[in-house]
């Protein structure tokens, strides 16, 4: 996972909000005797509002990525450093590799929709305080 760096507010400029987004695959154990993991694509949103001196962290809705695609990306030379699970989902489902969410969610929602919801939630958390 990528580390997000926020410069000190004195260096940040004069924007109303600063938003950082980073997504990644999170493994969740099923807790059963077979010790199988389930994998979810989750985005973390870090929002800062300098005028309130407030920072909040919100995560997007996690979308399960089938383990066969995760395992295929891991097995490739370079693993996750060079390959994404989305690329393997796209190959099989004939979808956009940058938005496999839309195919996995039956074209009802896409990655952009999930990110907008999470960003709106982060901003609402700041403004509600």
């Amino acid at each position: 996972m990528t580390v997000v760096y926020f410069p000190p507010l004195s260096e940040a400029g004069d924007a109303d909000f600063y938003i950082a987004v980073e997504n990644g695959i999170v493994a969740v154990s099923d807790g059963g005797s077979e010790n199988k993991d389930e994998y979810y694509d989750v985005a973390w949103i870090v929002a800062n509002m300098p005028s309130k001196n407030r920072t909040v962290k919100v995560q997007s809705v996690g979308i399960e990525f089938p383990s066969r695609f995760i395992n295929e990306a891991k097995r490739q030379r370079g693993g996750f450093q060079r390959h994404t699970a989305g690329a393997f989902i796209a190959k099989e489902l004939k979808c956009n590799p940058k938005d496999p969410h839309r195919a996995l969610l039956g074209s009802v929602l896409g990655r952009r929709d999930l990110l907008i919801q999470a960003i709106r939630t982060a901003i609402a958390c700041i403004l509600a305080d």
Side-chain angles (χ1 to χ4, degrees):
M1 182 149 301
T2 301
V3 176
V4 177
Y5 167 75
F6 277 100
L9 289 179
S10 61
E11 299 173 18
D14 59 357
D16 293 331
F17 289 97
Y18 294 92
I19 306 287
V21 179
E22 182 61 41
N23 77 301
I25 302 293
V26 177
V28 178
S29 174
D30 71 356
S33 60
E34 295 181 35
N35 200 23
K36 291 184 179 177
D37 285 339
E38 295 173 345
Y39 297 94
Y40 294 86
D41 182 78
V42 177
W44 278 97
I45 312 302
V46 180
N48 176 271
M49 186 174 186
S51 65
K52 287 191 170 199
N53 195 26
R54 181 142 159 77
T55 300
V56 298
K57 299 172 189 98
V58 174
Q59 74 181 55
S60 70
V61 172
I63 304 303
E64 185 172 6
F65 276 21
S67 60
R68 70 182 182 276
F69 299 118
I70 304 299
N71 294 332
E72 185 67 23
K74 284 182 184 179
R75 279 194 300 269
Q76 300 302 308
R77 182 182 171 115
F80 280 133
Q81 296 297 323
R82 298 187 62 198
H83 303 277
T84 66
F88 293 98
I89 293 169
K91 185 176 179 180
E92 182 174 311
L93 301 182
K94 309 293 186 241
C95 65
N96 182 343
K98 295 184 187 260
D99 189 8
H101 310 74
R102 187 164 298 282
L104 294 171
L105 297 172
S107 297
V108 175
L109 293 170
R111 182 172 191 260
R112 181 177 188 272
D113 303 307
L114 300 171
L115 291 174
I116 287 171
Q117 178 188 38
I119 290 168
R120 284 180 175 163
T121 301
I123 291 170
C125 288
I126 288 176
L127 295 177
D129 187 32

